[in-house]
Amino acid sequence: MTSATARVGDTVIATTDDPVIVEGNVYFPESDIAEGVLVANKAKSLCFWKGIASYYDVATDGATLRSAAFTYRRPSPLARRIKGRVAFWNGVEVSTDRTAH
């Protein structure tokens, strides 16, 4: 079993026992992210196989990390495992821990 945690400094902003890892990015279920941390912005990008990514600013402890989280709201069929999930980068530290089950 794998668990994952996302932090900004010492503040935990997400933790899950149900991560999905795609291309080195850890995708957290939206329900496992702290409330009020994600602030939608207008940034978008296109991945040729996952689809269109939408971005969030990550706000915590009075600081805002621009476009530090992303999601694929309507992923392609090949990437359906990441629907309803958010990944972090750009200043958010993500760690995984594999435990015996």
Side-chain angles (χ1 to χ4, degrees):
M1 176 183 234
T2 300
S3 63
T5 304
R7 289 183 173 82
V8 175
D10 293 332
T11 303
V12 173
I13 60 170
T15 186
T16 188
D17 289 327
D18 182 28
V20 171
I21 302 172
V22 175
E23 295 183 324
N25 291 308
V26 178
Y27 289 82
F28 292 76
E30 291 175 352
S31 60
D32 290 344
I33 299 169
E35 199 169 314
V37 168
L38 300 178
V39 180
N41 68 32
K42 295 181 189 262
K44 302 252 190 267
S45 67
L46 176 64
C47 172
F48 75 95
W49 76 273
K50 289 181 288 208
I52 297 172
S54 299
Y55 290 81
Y56 296 99
D57 296 337
V58 174
T60 181
D61 295 334
T64 299
L65 299 174
R66 300 276 306 145
S67 296
F70 57 95
T71 188
Y72 291 86
R73 291 195 175 97
R74 289 181 290 285
S76 72
L78 292 172
R80 65 186 170 273
R81 300 182 316 140
I82 61 174
K83 184 171 178 64
R85 294 173 177 270
V86 175
F88 298 97
W89 68 328
N90 278 355
V92 178
E93 178 188 335
V94 176
S95 59
T96 57
D97 181 37
R98 199 164 186 82
T99 57
H101 191 224

